């Protein structure tokens, strides 16, 4: 298996190279640049033009790409024009918030999805099962921003139970227990909304797998031998039904890392998604390119992680 993992990792190199080339060319096609909004006030247009020439913005794109990719391979993704700091430092300041949000949302989604999917699968056609199907339908059909805005309005502004922006209150000392509780309080709304919207696939897969597993021969054989149904569920049905859930785990957590942009924007949460949107609006190409590369790498890593988890859960499966 480890030879296959190594081969998959090496295959990521040309994939990331193609991604870097495409995103660099596409970024250069965007109208304007990071200095466009600086025109006016005390900044003269000729000064901005001089900065552009000195920065090499008028050089052929392949020369610009070669300078950028050679520095990126050394861990230098350039300097943000908006934040006046190295790109790695700008992203690093937001990465911890996004990873914490994705982790918290993943835990919440499984805490919601597993009991609902298991009970609905064990009792198909019941009122509970119909309620779960209705919940799935609503959560799948509802636009994410509608849920985000409704939650923000209700719990943030009407009831005033939860903070409406940021990741922690600035007046709380870092490292204290109050700091931990305050960060958790800021996570509840964005992570809870993301978790609710991401449970649909897990619930449906688990429910269908349990219903399908009950008709399999190994379940009928176990029942004919007098094995209690409770033990059949815990030792056979539930274990086999977890296989597709395990397969999608890597995709889910990496998908949340890149898919929390709207939530971060609406809840004004200082994560990588919010940074990505700001970087696009401000034409901060260095930050945009670095974030796209990071998201691309995480997606490839999620695919590999899902295959590895699948092969561990079911030894009969070998990744190729």
């Amino acid at each position: 298996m480890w030879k296959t993992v190594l081969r998959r990792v090496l295959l990521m190199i040309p994939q990331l190279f193609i991604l870097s080339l495409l995103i660099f060319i596409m970024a250069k096609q965007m109208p304007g640049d990071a200095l466009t909004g600086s025109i006016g006030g005390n900044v003269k247009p000729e000064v901005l033009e001089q900065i552009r020439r000195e920065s090499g913005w008028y050089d052929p794109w392949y020369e610009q790409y070669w300078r950028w990719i050679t520095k990126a391979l050394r861990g230098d993704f350039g300097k943000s024009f908006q934040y006046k700091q190295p790109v790695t430092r700008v992203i690093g300041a937001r990465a911890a918030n996004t990873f914490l949000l994705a982790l918290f949302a993943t835990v919440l989604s499984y805490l919601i999805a597993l009991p609902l999917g298991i009970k609905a699968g064990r009792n198909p056609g019941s009122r509970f099962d119909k309620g779960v199907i209705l919940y799935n339908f609503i959560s799948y059909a509802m636009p994410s921003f509608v849920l985000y805005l409704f939650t923000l309005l209700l719990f943030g502004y009407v009831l005033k139970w939860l903070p409406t922006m940021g990741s922690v209150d600035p007046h709380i000392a870092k490292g204290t227990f109050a700091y931990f509780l305050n960060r958790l309080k800021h996570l509840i709304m964005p992570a809870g909304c993301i978790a609710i919207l991401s449970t649909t696939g897990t619930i449906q897969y688990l429910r269908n797998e349990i219903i399908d597993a009950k008709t399999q021969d190994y379940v009928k054989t176990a029942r004919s031998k007098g094995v209690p149904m409770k033990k059949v569920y815990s030792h056979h049905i539930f274990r086999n039904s977890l296989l597709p859930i395990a397969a999608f785990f890597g995709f889910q957590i990496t998908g949340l890392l890149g898919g929390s942009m709207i939530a971060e924007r609406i809840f004004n949460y200082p994560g990588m998604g919010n940074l990505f949107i700001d970087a696009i609006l401000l034409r901060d190409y260095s930050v945009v390119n670095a974030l796209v590369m990071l998201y691309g790498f995480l997606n490839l890593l999620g695919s590999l992680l899902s295959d590895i988890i699948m092969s561990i859960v079911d030894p009969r499966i070998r990744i190729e």
Side-chain angles (χ1 to χ4, degrees):
M1 182 180 73
W2 296 113
K3 291 182 179 180
T4 304
V5 172
L6 179 60
R7 187 166 61 248
R8 291 278 295 274
V9 171
L10 294 176
L11 185 61
M12 291 182 185
I13 297 176
Q15 292 175 320
L16 291 174
F17 171 75
I18 295 173
L19 176 63
S20 68
L21 183 61
L22 290 176
I23 189 58
F24 188 87
I25 295 174
M26 292 173 64
K28 288 299 178 183
Q29 299 304 313
M30 295 171 62
D33 54 49
L35 297 177
T36 301
S38 302
I39 298 177
N42 297 324
V43 184
K44 297 181 179 180
E46 50 269 25
V47 175
L48 297 180
E49 284 298 313
Q50 183 179 355
I51 296 175
R52 291 187 179 101
R53 285 194 298 270
E54 292 176 352
S55 301
W57 287 4
Y58 294 127
D59 294 342
W61 68 267
Y62 49 85
E63 292 183 7
Q64 297 183 52
Y65 173 75
W66 178 252
R67 286 198 300 266
W68 176 76
I69 195 64
T70 51
K71 291 181 179 179
L73 291 174
R74 298 194 298 267
D76 180 9
F77 286 91
K79 187 176 181 179
S80 169
F81 274 87
Q82 298 299 323
Y83 297 95
K84 312 302 180 185
Q85 294 180 358
V87 172
T88 51
R89 184 181 301 174
V90 174
I91 295 177
R94 307 290 189 96
N97 290 334
T98 296
F99 276 92
L100 186 61
L101 176 63
L103 179 62
F104 195 54
T106 301
V107 173
L108 284 178
S109 68
Y110 279 109
L111 288 177
I112 296 172
L114 291 181
L116 292 181
I118 292 171
K119 190 167 183 180
R122 294 186 66 168
N123 304 282
S126 63
R127 289 185 178 180
F128 183 86
D129 181 44
K130 294 177 181 177
V132 170
I133 293 175
L134 179 62
Y135 163 82
N136 264 4
F137 176 79
I138 294 175
S139 62
Y140 183 77
M142 179 181 294
S144 58
F145 67 89
V146 174
L147 178 62
Y148 298 154
L149 291 173
F150 174 78
T151 304
L152 184 64
L153 176 65
L154 177 62
F155 297 104
Y157 292 103
V158 177
L159 299 177
K160 298 182 179 180
W161 289 353
L162 298 170
T164 58
M165 65 177 64
S167 61
V168 67
D169 292 337
H171 64 274
I172 299 179
K174 190 175 182 179
T176 61
F177 185 66
Y179 179 87
F180 169 77
L181 289 179
N182 193 260
R183 290 212 69 175
L184 187 64
K185 193 174 182 180
H186 280 78
L187 281 170
I188 291 177
M189 274 203 295
C193 291
I194 294 173
I196 289 174
L197 295 175
S198 62
T199 56
T200 306
T202 305
I203 292 175
Q204 197 62 35
Y205 273 115
L206 187 56
R207 175 187 177 273
N208 294 343
E209 285 294 322
I210 290 176
I211 293 175
D212 181 66
K214 289 191 293 186
T215 63
Q216 299 299 315
D217 292 336
Y218 67 88
V219 174
K220 296 178 181 178
T221 302
R223 291 294 293 151
S224 66
K225 293 181 178 179
V227 179
M229 196 62 191
K230 185 177 181 180
K231 191 174 181 179
V232 172
Y233 270 109
S234 61
H235 285 70
H236 300 284
I237 295 178
F238 181 61
R239 183 181 300 175
N240 290 327
S241 299
L242 282 179
L243 290 177
I245 308 301
F248 281 98
F249 175 77
F251 285 112
Q252 182 172 4
I253 192 168
T254 54
L256 289 178
L257 288 172
S260 59
M261 296 181 190
I262 299 177
E264 291 183 6
R265 194 66 175 178
I266 291 178
F267 292 105
N268 200 12
Y269 184 81
M272 293 191 300
N274 208 357
L275 175 65
F276 184 66
I277 296 176
D278 284 337
I280 293 176
L281 295 176
L282 298 173
R283 305 298 190 267
D284 202 343
Y285 301 131
S286 299
V287 177
V288 172
N289 292 340
L291 282 173
V292 172
M293 290 297 296
L294 177 59
Y295 288 138
F297 172 74
L298 290 175
N299 282 328
L300 293 174
L301 186 63
S303 174
L304 178 60
L305 181 61
S306 292
D307 290 341
I308 293 175
I309 293 175
M310 193 73 170
S311 65
I312 293 174
V313 174
D314 190 349
R316 297 171 299 176
I317 298 175
R318 291 292 179 265
I319 60 175
E320 298 295 339

